[in-house]
C-alpha cells in the first residue's frame, strides 16, 4: 500500500465518522478548553466559598455537589435556616450548553444564575452587598481580583463572572456514548444501542438533543397527560406571566442522568426506570415494555462521562473585618 493510499483511506475514514456524527441528533461533548486559568481558579474558590451565605455554611457546591454529579441528591434543596427549597436542584455539569439557567429559564446565562442564590432568602440568605463586603475583606481574594481584573475592586459582577467561567469548565466528555458516536461501535452494549434507537423512534430526541441531550428548548410537563405533583412551581408562567406557559419548563440535560437523581422538577422520582416510563406516558402517550425500559435505561447510563477532577481550593482566612456568619437566629 502506498503512502498516498494510506492518507486517502485515513481522510475517508475521518470524513465518514464526521458525516455519521452530523446525522445524529446528539452531539459529542468536547473537553473544556481553559484560556483563563487564573480566573477559573478564582471562580472555583468562590464556588466552594461558604462565606457567600449568611450562615457561612452554604456554598454553590452545597446544592451543586461536584462529588454527586453536580446535584445534591435531594428532592428539593436545603437552604438558609434549614428552609425547604421550592424545586429540584439541576446539575451544574454541562450547564454551559443550556439555552438559559434555572428550570424556568429566568437567568440568561451562568453569570446571571450565580447571582440569584446569594441574595435569595430561601437559599444562601445573604445580600449582594454583604457578599461583596465579605470577599473584599480578605486580602487573599483582593490580590486575585487585582491580578485578574486590573484593579482591586470586588463587586458582584466580578464575583459572578469568575464563578461562571469556572462552571463553564465543568463538562463531562468521553462518555461511552460519545465514543460510540466517534466510531467505536463496541463502546456501548447491544441493549444501549437498541435503547438509543428507541430513544429516536419514540420521539424522545424531539426535546432531548444537542451536546447536552437537552437544555435547548422549553416544554410543558404533562404534554399528553397531566403530571400530578404537590410542587408549587409553575414553570415559565412565573417569568412570562402567560397562562400558556404554566408547567412549561426547560428540558433538562440527560448527560450523567444516572448520577443526578431524584428526577423531574419536583424530585419525585428516584429511579431511571420509573422516570422513563413516566415520561413515555405523560409526554408521548406511549407504554414501554420491560425490555424497552431496560434498553432505554442502558442507553441513558452510557451518557455518563468523565467527571470533573477537582482539587479543593484553600480559601483565604477571615479576619477582624470579615462579617461574622449568622447560622442561627
Amino acid at each position: 500500500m502506498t503512502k498516498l493510499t494510506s492518507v486517502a483511506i485515513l481522510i475517508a475514514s475521518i470524513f465518514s465518522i464526521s458525516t455519521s456524527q452530523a446525522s445524529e441528533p446528539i452531539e459529542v461533548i468536547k473537553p473544556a478548553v481553559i484560556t483563563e486559568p487564573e480566573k477559573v481558579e478564582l471562580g472555583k474558590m468562590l464556588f466552594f466559598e461558604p462565606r457567600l451565605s449568611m450562615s457561612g455554611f452554604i456554598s454553590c457546591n452545597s446544592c451543586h455537589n461536584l462529588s454527586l454529579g453536580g446535584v445534591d441528591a435531594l428532592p428539593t434543596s436545603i437552604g438558609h435556616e434549614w428552609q425547604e427549597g421550592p424545586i429540584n436542584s439541576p446539575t451544574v455539569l454541562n450547564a454551559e450548553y443550556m439555552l438559559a439557567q434555572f428550570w424556568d429559564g429566568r437567568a440568561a446565562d451562568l453569570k446571571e444564575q450565580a447571582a440569584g442564590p446569594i441574595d435569595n432568602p430561601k437559599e444562601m440568605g445573604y445580600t449582594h452587598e454583604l457578599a461583596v463586603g465579605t470577599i473584599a475583606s480578605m486580602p487573599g481574594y483582593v490580590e486575585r481580583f487585582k491580578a485578574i481584573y486590573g484593579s482591586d475592586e470586588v463587586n458582584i459582577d466580578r464575583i459572578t463572572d469568575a464563578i461562571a467561567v469556572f462552571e463553564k469548565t465543568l463538562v463531562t466528555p468521553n462518555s461511552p456514548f460519545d465514543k460510540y458516536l466517534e466510531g467505536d461501535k463496541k463502546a456501548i452494549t447491544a441493549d444501549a444501542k437498541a435503547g438509543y434507537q428507541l430513544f429516536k423512534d419514540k420521539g424522545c430526541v424531539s426535546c432531548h438533543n444537542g451536546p447536552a441531550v437537552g437544555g435547548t428548548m422549553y416544554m410543558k410537563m404533562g404534554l399528553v397527560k397531566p403530571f400530578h405533583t404537590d410542587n408549587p412551581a409553575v414553570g415559565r408562567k412565573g417569568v412570562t406571566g402567560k397562562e400558556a406557559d404554566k408547567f412549561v419548563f426547560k428540558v433538562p440535560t440527560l448527560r450523567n442522568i444516572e448520577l443526578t437523581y431524584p428526577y423531574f422538577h419536583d424530585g419525585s422520582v428516584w429511579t431511571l426506570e420509573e422516570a422513563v416510563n413516566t415520561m413515555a406516558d405523560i409526554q408521548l402517550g406511549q407504554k414501554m415494555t420491560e425490555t424497552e425500559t431496560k434498553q432505554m435505561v442502558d442507553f441513558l447510563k452510557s451518557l455518563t462521562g468523565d467527571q470533573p477532577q477537582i482539587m479543593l481550593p484553600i480559601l483565604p482566612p477571615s479576619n477582624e473585618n470579615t462579617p461574622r456568619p449568622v447560622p442561627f437566629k
Side-chain angles (χ1 to χ4, degrees):
M1 184 181 295
T2 67
K3 185 175 181 180
L4 183 60
T5 303
S6 299
V7 171
I9 290 173
L10 176 61
I11 292 172
S13 174
I14 293 171
F15 179 76
S16 176
I17 292 171
S18 299
T19 302
S20 175
Q21 289 182 30
S23 66
E24 297 293 346
I26 298 174
E27 300 167 35
V28 171
I29 285 275
K30 299 295 185 182
V33 177
I34 297 176
T35 58
E36 299 177 289
E38 294 83 6
K39 188 182 288 188
V40 169
E41 184 63 23
L42 173 61
K44 180 172 73 172
M45 295 169 71
L46 295 168
F47 184 88
F48 283 94
E49 179 54 83
R51 289 167 295 184
L52 285 174
S53 68
M54 176 68 77
S55 65
F57 185 73
I58 300 173
S59 69
C60 301
N61 193 64
S62 299
C63 298
H64 303 285
N65 194 320
L66 298 182
S67 297
L68 294 172
V71 301
D72 54 16
L74 297 170
T76 58
S77 297
I78 298 169
H80 183 58
E81 295 184 335
W82 212 252
Q83 293 182 83
E84 180 181 355
I87 205 163
N88 181 256
S89 180
T91 181
V92 71
L93 302 181
N94 305 305
E96 167 67 4
Y97 290 100
M98 304 295 102
L99 82 163
Q101 303 300 320
F102 296 116
W103 279 97
D104 58 10
R106 66 184 182 273
D109 53 30
L110 288 171
K111 181 179 176 182
E112 185 177 349
Q113 186 280 328
I118 294 172
D119 71 348
N120 186 321
K122 275 196 164 187
E123 296 187 52
M124 297 171 82
Y126 224 12
T127 67
H128 288 165
E129 291 74 21
L130 284 171
V132 168
T134 297
I135 299 302
S137 74
M138 292 176 265
Y141 273 125
V142 174
E143 291 168 5
R144 288 178 179 269
F145 275 87
K146 184 174 182 179
I148 293 166
Y149 293 101
S151 75
D152 59 9
E153 179 185 0
V154 177
N155 56 45
I156 197 64
D157 184 74
R158 289 179 174 181
I159 289 173
T160 55
D161 175 62
I163 293 173
V165 170
F166 167 66
E167 290 179 338
K168 289 177 182 180
T169 71
L170 302 177
V171 296
T172 58
N174 302 317
S175 71
F177 186 74
D178 282 336
K179 293 176 182 177
Y180 171 76
L181 286 181
E182 291 173 327
D184 181 359
K185 300 309 177 185
K186 295 182 179 180
I188 62 175
T189 66
D191 274 350
K193 292 174 186 176
Y196 179 45
Q197 192 60 50
L198 283 169
F199 193 77
K200 292 188 284 187
D201 292 345
K202 289 185 176 294
C204 307
V205 293
S206 61
C207 295
H208 292 284
N209 51 58
V213 200
T216 60
M217 63 184 292
Y218 300 103
M219 181 54 64
K220 182 176 181 179
M221 184 64 167
L223 186 63
V224 176
K225 297 180 182 180
F227 176 67
H228 300 290
T229 179
D230 295 328
N231 189 282
V234 295
R236 290 288 292 165
K237 181 185 176 183
V239 178
T240 67
K242 297 177 181 178
E243 188 64 26
D245 286 335
K246 189 174 184 179
F247 305 136
V248 172
F249 296 92
K250 183 183 66 179
V251 174
T253 174
L254 296 183
R255 292 280 180 177
N256 311 290
I257 192 69
E258 69 173 319
L259 307 178
T260 59
Y261 52 83
Y263 305 112
F264 307 152
H265 69 277
D266 64 345
S268 61
V269 171
W270 286 86
T271 69
L272 277 176
E273 288 80 5
E274 184 180 352
V276 164
N277 281 285
T278 298
M279 293 302 283
D281 184 33
I282 68 171
Q283 298 300 105
L284 302 173
Q286 300 184 40
K287 296 293 183 183
M288 303 277 286
T289 68
E290 188 175 332
T291 296
E292 288 176 330
T293 299
K294 180 184 183 305
Q295 291 171 338
M296 188 80 79
V297 169
D298 279 6
F299 158 64
L300 292 174
K301 288 182 177 180
S302 77
L303 295 171
T304 301
D306 292 345
Q307 300 300 291
Q309 299 300 299
I310 303 296
M311 181 178 290
L312 288 176
I314 303 301
L315 306 179
S318 299
N319 56 59
E320 64 276 10
N321 298 315
T322 306
R324 298 291 180 256
V326 185
F328 311 107
K329 286 185 178 178

